[in-house]
Amino acid sequence: MIASAEDILLSKLEWAAISESERQIRDALRIAEIQSTLNLVYLRRWADELGVSQRLEEVLTAAGH
């Protein structure tokens, strides 16, 4: 199975919330910067479910989405 960029980004944000890892945030930001066609509806829906909505918005803003 191949994970989508959205799923990897969400996983990074979830892991960052658990471990307070700046590396995970940097990784998520890099994904958002590189991937110009992110499904923002999907990301926001699942970020809300996972409790990482604020971090997602910070990453998306920093990446220019």
Side-chain angles (χ1 to χ4, degrees):
M1 176 185 277
I2 298 175
S4 69
E6 290 86 356
D7 289 334
I8 295 169
L9 193 153
L10 289 166
S11 176
K12 295 283 184 182
L13 293 178
E14 190 176 24
W15 185 248
I18 294 167
S19 68
E20 299 182 19
S21 169
E22 282 301 313
R23 179 178 180 184
Q24 299 300 324
I25 295 293
R26 284 193 311 269
D27 289 351
L29 176 58
R30 190 70 180 128
I31 292 166
E33 290 171 339
I34 292 170
Q35 193 70 25
S36 61
T37 60
L38 289 170
N39 182 335
L40 299 179
V41 172
Y42 178 88
L43 280 171
R44 288 183 172 121
R45 175 179 175 252
W46 282 103
D48 186 48
E49 289 282 329
L50 297 169
V52 295
S53 293
Q54 182 177 344
R55 286 187 185 252
L56 173 64
E57 295 305 325
E58 292 167 358
V59 165
L60 292 176
T61 298
H65 283 278

